Amino acid sequence: MAKQEFHLDFCGRGITVETGEIAKQADGAVIIRYGDTVTLSTACASNQAKEGIDFFPLTVSFEEKLYSVGKIPGGFLRREGRPSEHATLTARMIDRPIRPLFAEGFRNEVQVVNTVLSVDQDASPEMAAMFGASLALCISDIPFNGPIAGVKVGRINGELVANPTVAQMEESDIDLTVAGTAKALNMVEAGAKEVSEEDMLAALMFGHEQIKKLCAFQEEIVAACGKEKREIELYAVDETIDREVRANFEAQIRAAVSIKEKLERYGKIDDLTDEAAEMIANKEYESEKDQNNAVKQAREICRGIEADEVRRLIIEDKVRPDGRQIDEIRPLNSQVDLLPRVHGSALFTRGETQVLSTTTLGALNDNQIIDDLTVVDSKRFMHHYNFPPYCVGETGRMGNPGRREIGHGALGERALAQVLPSVDEFPYTIRTVADVMESNGSSSQASICAGTMSLMAAGVPIKAPVAGIAMGLIMDDNSGKYTVLTDIQGMEDHFGDMDFKVAGTKNGITALQMDIKVTGITKNIFEEALAQAHKARLEILDNMLACIPSPREQLSPYAPKIAMMNIDPDKIKDVIGPGGKMINEIIAQCDNVKIDIDDDGKVVIYHNDYDTIEKAKQMISDIVRVAKVGDVFAAKVVRLEKFGAFVNLFGNTDGLLHISKISHHRVDKVEDVLKLGDIIDVKVTEIDNKGRINVSAKALLPKPKTEEEKTEA
């Protein structure tokens, strides 16, 4: 196929699509040029279904090539290594709107690779890659019910803007990424500065209007060069096994779904599933492989019955598995100060979901260094989320965070970052760690609640407390009926159609995330979910504030204290000294105090002890201090000469006390009146054009009386 090009003017910037020249052996490949951003998206699928799996094996990656922003990678090898957090989050963001648009039972492996070749920071490479991923699938022979597209939405001075520039985003109070089809939205990721539900809904709908234009453009390209879709054999369970399992176990499984306590409910369903599997296993099969497949299908059928019953109860009877009302939150419990030596700690429990959050305060140079394609080079606030296997009563891998943990951590970080004080107001690096102790639904939102309280317990003067809640959706495509659920638990999340997380203060939204398993969500459903989430958020905030009503006025005794001062930028080199000698000497003499110095001369000193901070502050003041004519010092004699003595005024600043300036009386030898180490009061009398300082002790002494004065007395 010869190279083809397609063009679209989108929101003031051109989008050019190229196909047929690069990566021609992929099932689908497109080059996207958006401004000066260039991305390559490829899609490939295996010809055979992957055996032995019960999920769709889709892999989406976002490959950051640092040459795209003119950087050489850090580290010893000087080449790209494991994906950055930004790359992981972007890959997840592209995966989420694409995944629901493959047919149920699709078991062929699909890999979508998005490679960033050139970056124009004002032309989002993330949105270019999402557009390219969808288009690569659409023009390929891989069955895919797209297209989808995504846009970023900002709001500057009350005006909504699609794919805003970096400068515009600095002024924006909304940072929204939204994706979907021409018919409906199916992925949302947002941060906001306490924006109302109405304004956020308007931003969502504005984003969808832009998505429609991008989807229409893709349809034109597919019509011009799209391949005919291949036939894929979709996985389905054996009808005979299905009938037999349902006949013997369907009624019992449906009854077990209504057991209120999580572990008891899961245990009963597991027991019934094991019985069904054993019944099917005891039949005769031609091979062990056939037997294993039959047993696996029996278990899958049981899960399907469970899902059908959960959905039926909620849609038809408005009854949830644990008996709650549709908008009812599980029991809440908030605690602080569980850990005596950390800077701040809190425990938040909502039903069977529990998160322990700790806050640690550090010097500004403890910030995280960022090495990716974005304009951000460091990060002052970090929110880390850990989901150990014991929190759901299981064994499993412990180690580096996976994609899910990174995503949940980023959501919590975005929600809390909106209310943090500025660096000038609170010059600390801040880290919160959310350790999930128990989980049955939306531990990410519980981590936001626990994080808020641990920040307040640590004395971080946040602008307002933030709470989060997860909303769910059960929808019947045939009847059009649906139910929006408040505070979804694990079963409702697993078998539901939407996970819609909303975090915010009493005044407005600070973060939003939505993932769905259906093709899209309409405006009415968004409106209903946001209204229910607002009500729930206020209820949770009441519980949190009953525990800790405001940020502590005092920091923990174990947290670093601070002092700030400003020095002449020209004096920074004097404080640091050659090879860092001077500042290292201050640190050594002041019990390893931490010192941050900005290029503008702002100095921040950290230590647990205020006296140590004052000592370091005085040492720095002495270094940068400039003597002036008329200043008086209690100076230390540091050198004796025939013509006088050199005395130390402060820091490394010495002055010459000439022999004639020691006393009103004649001094024959300096050694007669001064010795090394003596302290003598002196006054600066002269500073020459080379900066040399002359001082006088005589100027501070009373003049001796003349003979005439003595006679008169």
Side-chain angles (χ1 to χ4, degrees):
M1 182 174 68
K3 177 180 177 180
Q4 293 179 273
E5 287 190 11
F6 305 88
H7 305 278
L8 174 70
D9 182 23
F10 180 70
C11 298
R13 291 192 196 90
I15 298 176
T16 299
V17 174
E18 300 172 9
T19 188
E21 181 179 45
I22 295 177
K24 295 189 291 294
Q25 294 186 44
D27 293 328
V30 291
I31 290 282
I32 307 298
R33 296 183 181 274
Y34 179 41
D36 283 344
T37 290
V38 183
T39 62
L40 167 66
S41 294
T42 61
C44 293
S46 61
N47 291 320
Q48 298 294 325
K50 200 166 184 178
E51 289 190 17
I53 61 171
D54 57 359
F55 62 91
F56 170 37
L58 169 66
T59 304
V60 177
S61 65
F62 183 78
E63 303 293 324
E64 293 181 312
K65 300 299 184 183
L66 288 181
Y67 58 69
S68 67
V69 288
K71 288 184 183 179
I72 294 175
F76 181 75
L77 296 177
R78 297 295 182 191
R79 66 177 297 161
E80 288 83 2
R82 60 180 294 179
S84 69
E85 186 173 295
H86 173 257
T88 298
L89 294 172
T90 303
R92 275 173 52 89
M93 191 167 60
I94 297 171
D95 180 301
R96 285 154 49 195
I98 286 173
R99 188 175 291 271
L101 300 182
F102 285 87
E104 186 70 31
F106 203 117
R107 294 293 182 267
N108 294 51
E109 192 168 4
V110 176
Q111 184 177 45
V112 179
V113 179
N114 303 281
T115 306
V116 183
L117 305 174
S118 175
V119 173
D120 173 354
Q121 298 291 358
D122 288 336
S124 169
E126 299 85 4
M127 295 303 95
M130 182 181 288
F131 180 87
S134 169
L135 187 52
L137 286 165
C138 286
I139 67 170
S140 75
D141 63 349
I142 304 168
F144 172 64
N145 298 321
I148 64 99
V151 294
K152 291 180 179 289
V153 177
R155 188 174 68 168
I156 298 92
N157 297 324
E159 183 180 351
L160 294 170
V161 178
N163 288 354
T165 65
V166 173
Q168 286 175 318
M169 282 308 301
E170 290 178 359
E171 305 297 323
S172 178
D173 62 353
I174 293 176
D175 182 0
L176 169 67
T177 301
V178 61
T181 66
K183 294 182 179 178
L185 300 177
N186 66 358
M187 193 283 296
V188 175
E189 195 80 53
K193 293 180 171 64
E194 298 183 88
V195 169
S196 71
E197 281 74 11
E198 294 77 14
D199 288 349
M200 184 59 76
L201 184 61
L204 290 167
M205 295 302 105
F206 172 81
H208 191 218
E209 290 304 311
Q210 314 312 312
I211 287 169
K212 291 177 183 177
K213 301 173 188 174
L214 295 174
C215 288
F217 182 41
Q218 290 186 58
E219 295 282 10
E220 293 176 17
I221 298 170
V222 173
C225 62
K227 299 177 184 176
E228 185 178 346
K229 298 299 182 183
R230 72 178 83 163
E231 289 293 328
I232 295 287
E233 185 178 348
L234 300 176
Y235 170 82
V237 297
D238 184 276
E239 292 182 3
T240 303
I241 298 173
D242 185 61
R243 282 195 301 271
E244 193 163 351
V245 169
R246 288 182 181 277
N248 288 278
F249 294 96
E250 183 167 8
Q252 297 176 71
I253 292 173
R254 287 185 181 275
V257 166
S258 296
I259 297 173
K260 290 185 179 181
E261 203 277 319
K262 172 190 170 183
L263 294 181
E264 183 184 351
R265 177 172 66 249
Y266 284 5
K268 181 62 175 177
I269 293 172
D270 286 347
D271 289 344
L272 291 168
T273 301
D274 290 342
E275 289 179 33
E278 185 178 358
M279 178 188 74
I280 297 300
N282 288 334
K283 296 184 175 298
E284 290 190 7
Y285 297 93
E286 292 184 1
S287 67
E288 184 178 346
K289 179 181 178 182
D290 289 344
Q291 183 189 43
N292 291 338
N293 286 337
V295 168
K296 188 174 290 185
Q297 289 193 10
R299 293 185 176 279
E300 188 177 337
I301 292 162
C302 290
R303 286 197 299 273
I305 295 169
E306 180 187 1
D308 289 344
E309 180 62 9
V310 169
R311 296 171 64 83
R312 187 197 66 80
L313 284 170
I314 292 171
I315 291 177
E316 299 296 336
D317 302 339
K318 305 298 181 184
V319 173
R320 302 173 73 167
D322 58 4
R324 279 183 294 147
Q325 297 296 311
I326 297 304
D327 61 352
E328 183 180 350
I329 303 173
R330 289 169 291 175
L332 302 171
N333 181 265
S334 299
Q335 302 176 43
V336 293
D337 302 334
L338 285 82
L339 308 175
R341 289 285 180 134
V342 305
H343 301 164
S345 63
L347 184 73
F348 179 79
T349 307
R350 188 189 62 244
E352 294 166 311
T353 294
Q354 185 180 74
V355 173
L356 173 68
S357 177
T358 56
T359 294
T360 307
L361 305 178
L364 289 175
N365 59 15
D366 288 333
N367 60 3
Q368 182 182 358
I369 305 302
I370 306 296
D371 190 20
D372 59 25
L373 305 186
T374 67
V375 294
V376 179
D377 56 10
S378 66
K379 195 162 65 170
R380 170 204 175 209
F381 173 57
M382 296 156 278
H383 174 78
H384 294 152
Y385 169 96
N386 300 313
F387 192 89
Y390 63 74
C391 72
V392 287
E394 297 176 358
T395 59
R397 183 187 71 88
M398 298 282 288
N400 293 328
R403 279 190 169 195
R404 179 180 178 275
E405 289 174 299
I406 291 172
H408 282 7
L411 174 61
E413 185 172 293
R414 191 161 51 248
L416 295 169
Q418 313 298 333
V419 298
L420 290 180
S422 68
V423 174
D424 290 336
E425 294 169 316
F426 195 71
Y428 286 95
T429 292
I430 306 166
R431 181 186 185 227
T432 53
V433 177
D435 289 307
V436 182
M437 300 287 109
E438 187 180 357
S439 180
N440 183 17
S442 196
S443 52
S444 67
Q445 299 307 285
S447 79
I448 293 170
C449 300
T452 292
M453 293 192 297
S454 75
L455 286 167
M456 294 167 72
V460 179
I462 60 174
K463 297 169 186 174
V466 179
I469 190 70
M471 311 301 295
L473 173 74
I474 308 294
M475 177 185 287
D476 184 346
D477 287 333
N478 296 323
S479 66
K481 293 181 180 178
Y482 68 88
T483 300
V484 175
L485 303 173
T486 296
D487 182 22
I488 55 173
Q489 59 176 312
M491 180 179 283
E492 294 165 338
D493 184 10
H494 184 66
F495 297 134
D497 298 315
M498 176 181 76
D499 183 9
F500 188 37
K501 297 165 181 168
V502 187
T505 67
K506 68 176 182 179
N507 297 321
I509 294 168
T510 61
L512 203 66
Q513 186 183 80
M514 184 191 76
D515 293 308
I516 65 169
K517 299 169 190 172
V518 291
T519 53
I521 298 297
T522 62
K523 180 180 179 180
N524 290 341
I525 296 175
F526 271 122
E527 205 163 15
E528 190 172 333
L530 286 168
Q532 273 184 228
H534 179 79
K535 174 177 176 288
R537 189 167 78 239
L538 296 182
E539 186 178 334
I540 294 170
L541 282 170
D542 286 343
N543 185 271
M544 293 163 54
L545 294 176
C547 172
I548 180 166
S550 62
R552 298 261 168 79
E553 294 187 2
Q554 297 293 327
L555 301 182
S556 161
Y558 305 106
K561 312 305 184 296
I562 64 169
M564 291 182 286
M565 59 189 296
N566 291 290
I567 64 174
D568 185 337
D570 292 338
K571 291 286 185 179
I572 293 174
K573 62 181 183 300
D574 298 328
V575 176
I576 294 173
K581 179 181 178 182
M582 187 58 65
I583 197 165
N584 287 333
E585 187 176 316
I586 297 171
I587 291 169
Q589 291 185 29
C590 298
D591 191 25
N592 290 317
V593 69
K594 286 192 173 184
I595 302 171
D596 287 336
I597 305 177
D598 289 344
D599 292 341
D600 61 0
K602 180 179 178 181
V603 180
V604 186
I605 308 167
Y606 306 84
H607 197 273
N608 290 350
D609 179 61
Y610 280 117
D611 290 340
T612 303
I613 290 175
E614 285 303 313
K615 180 180 177 182
K617 187 176 179 181
Q618 186 59 51
M619 292 178 73
I620 294 172
S621 296
D622 287 346
I623 294 171
V624 302
R625 186 174 178 181
V626 177
K628 297 177 182 177
V629 173
D631 287 350
V632 176
F633 298 95
K636 181 180 180 180
V637 178
V638 293
R639 199 169 101 211
L640 298 175
E641 300 288 351
K642 289 181 180 180
F643 53 83
F646 285 96
V647 294
N648 179 252
L649 306 180
F650 53 83
N652 292 325
T653 302
D654 294 342
L656 172 62
L657 175 61
H658 193 269
I659 191 170
S660 64
K661 302 294 183 181
I662 295 175
S663 173
H664 289 290
H665 302 291
R666 178 180 173 81
V667 177
D668 293 324
K669 291 182 178 181
V670 176
E671 294 88 343
D672 291 342
V673 291
L674 295 175
K675 60 181 182 293
L676 291 176
D678 280 354
I679 303 297
I680 183 171
D681 291 336
V682 297
K683 181 179 182 179
V684 177
T685 57
E686 182 186 13
I687 302 175
D688 67 18
N689 55 10
K690 293 184 178 180
R692 291 177 298 198
I693 301 171
N694 293 318
V695 299
S696 170
K698 183 170 68 174
L700 298 175
L701 297 173
K703 288 183 179 181
K705 292 181 179 180
T706 64
E707 291 299 325
E708 185 179 338
E709 288 172 332
K710 289 178 182 178
T711 302
E712 290 178 357

